[in-house]
Amino acid sequence: MEFFFTQISGFWGALVHLASDPVTYPYLIGSVFLGIVFGALPGLTATLAVTILTGFFGNKFPLEQSLIALIGAYVGAIYGGSYPSILLNIPGTAASAATAMDGHPLAKQGRGGEALGMTTTASFIGTLIGTMFLLVFVWLLLMISKNIASPEKALLALFGILLSGTLMSKDVVIKGWISGLIGLAMAMVGLDPILSETRYVFGWSYLMSGFQVVPVLMGAFAVPQIMDGMRAAGSIGQKVDVGKIVPRVATVMKRFPTIARSGVIGTGIGALPGVGEDVAGWVSYGVGKTVCKDGKDFGKGSINGLLSAEAANNAAIGGALIPLLVLGIPGSPPAAALLGALKINNVIPGPTIDPQLILHVVAILVMASCTMAIMGLLTARVFINVLRIPQTIFLPVVMVLTTIGSFSVGGGINDLYLMLGVGFVAYAMNAMHYPIAPLVIGVILGPLFDETFRRSLLISDGDLSTFWTRPGAAILLCLNVALILSQLPIFKRAFGRLTGRGS
Amino acid sequence: MEDKTALRARDFWTSLILIAVSAFFLWRTTDIPLFGTVTAGVSAAWYNSAALVPYGVFGMMLICSLGLLAISIKDGGAERALHGAGVGWERSEVIRMGCIAVILFFYIFALVPRVDFILASALLISTLIYGFHDGHTGRMKLAATVFAAAGLYALVMHFPSSEWAKPHDDDWVTLALWAGFTIFTLVRHSDEQAVRIAPVMAILVPLILVLAMAFGFRQNVPNRSGLIFKQIEYHYYVTLKPLWAK
């Protein structure tokens, strides 16, 4: 209990420091606003919002202000996706796809304002739940992570890539793994981290330092979005009227159990490496459908269905930051972009991370969620009007933003070549149903895997048993093996027969 | 719902490409010493070689690609891919993608390094909005042709990087093409709101961005010696800055 109060006291200090600094507010209000606009515009995603801002804020501002801008945009964009989901039945982001299931039927019943108000409240409470878990669990995990050595790190990095590949695949799981392997292969380019041996540079000196994270992020997330989104958009949309938005306190209290349950589920799913807010939303929606009394009404305009999805996807933000800060393994694609920003600021997440930075992140999350709630409840009509802009108007602007952002990070014109090359490959992969998140996570975790895997063998004189004689490594190895085996048809059939569900 | 067999036909070709890529990189990895190397005074055994992880990664990629090939053959993708039914891409979609790819290619590889960023981006915004807003393939082709003309001129006339920063006929060509294209679209489609908005956005967005990056964030911007940016920079330092410096 004393530990808990120490954390609360540290967090309170960081929050007061942040709240009393007037510089905080322009960054916070601007970034949350921009995030909500990005989320609200179908075709722009939370990952894209954080990625583009990484190009602008990554290494040009003090770290604290960069983090305010990036986390503010992250929180705003995950929430902003609910606007088109509810009003147009078009999920603004993948994270808000489950929101559309009940949000749009509610809007069609003339309850759009109520749906938006409840969504805003659920997102706010969900973010706070995720933040609370982040505050408590990050320290517990940090204590454990002090015992993590190279074998565990290597297996954890591999697990992150494999898990992301497995859970993000919309088609056969092998495509997710191939995507992760492509990312790992890209991370092999340049000087190797132990012996400085050159690998796959093909005489291009730019590649000696390997693939830079920001152009890869921009290429993987922005370029395919632009290429896919430039389709006939029709005329500029009509104005939408939704009525009263601010919900009644009694209604919120009545729905609090659903919001709390979804918040906890969202945090747990978000904490899984590489698994994003969209999975959190769907899992929570599925659980809600099973446990709620009105589960049979899910999909027909149920407020509980709406809250199950929306509280979870925002709570996943706090969850996604837990493995990011403790282990340097992003819990979601936007968190991968955040990791890119930390890296170009020379901040290495992991056991040696500055504890003050974690408290700052938590304080920023709380302030960002408050800003999001105030904006969502009081200025929702501004964001509703944003929905009228067709994507063929704003996507060309995004391309210009992406170009200048990627150029200014440091690598100049070569970064742009890399960005477009990765973008074309990512578009082709998208078209063939390969998930992109595992590729990016592979690029980010590849150097960590390469270095720690070889260092483990170096320390043990080439003895492979180092990966199963240490308890932590043995558990992680089992998880990796189990994850792979669970996806193989022969094991799936055997498991089905064992549980009596097989044919 | 997308045709599963068409997807598997694409998987068939992709898996063959992936197998070739994996095999190529496995072969390239043989250039990296695996046994008993000495690099920068450090001796390395096999377990510390820089080739170890790449062998594993490309080996696994080869196995996964073979797995994907097996899945595509089992689900009928190979049969469809080899018997002329195609991979399920529509002609209009291929044209749309081709036009966007051409515009993005010339923007990044030809115009941004050589032409003033404001002009290059203005042409990009105008062509993309006009070409793709209403989904007509004729407009897409026209937009791509205009953009490719500007890009090809810059690429052919000023290919080496030593010529990127020189005074610029390619800037003038891009400006002329943008002006001509804008006048054409405004005359022919003045009733379309998107077409009327496009020139305003084409000028304001890159101008504001470049000014913010160069003079606000103090960051490098592409092609500082470009036609318009050079004038802005000159007047910022020579005309404007002395006013408040005094």
Side-chain angles (χ1 to χ4, degrees), chain A residues 4-21:
Chain A
F4 181 74
F5 285 119
T6 312
Q7 297 317 313
I8 295 292
S9 144
F11 156 71
W12 184 251
L15 188 67
V16 169
H17 164 77
L18 204 65
S20 59
D21 186 356

Side-chain angles (χ1 to χ4, degrees), chain A residues 50-76:
Chain A
V50 183
T51 304
I52 287 179
L53 286 185
T54 300
F56 282 87
F57 286 89
N59 55 354
K60 302 173 187 70
F61 287 83
L63 181 64
E64 190 176 283
Q65 285 150 27
S66 300
L67 284 174
I68 294 171
L70 298 172
I71 294 173
Y74 186 3
V75 172

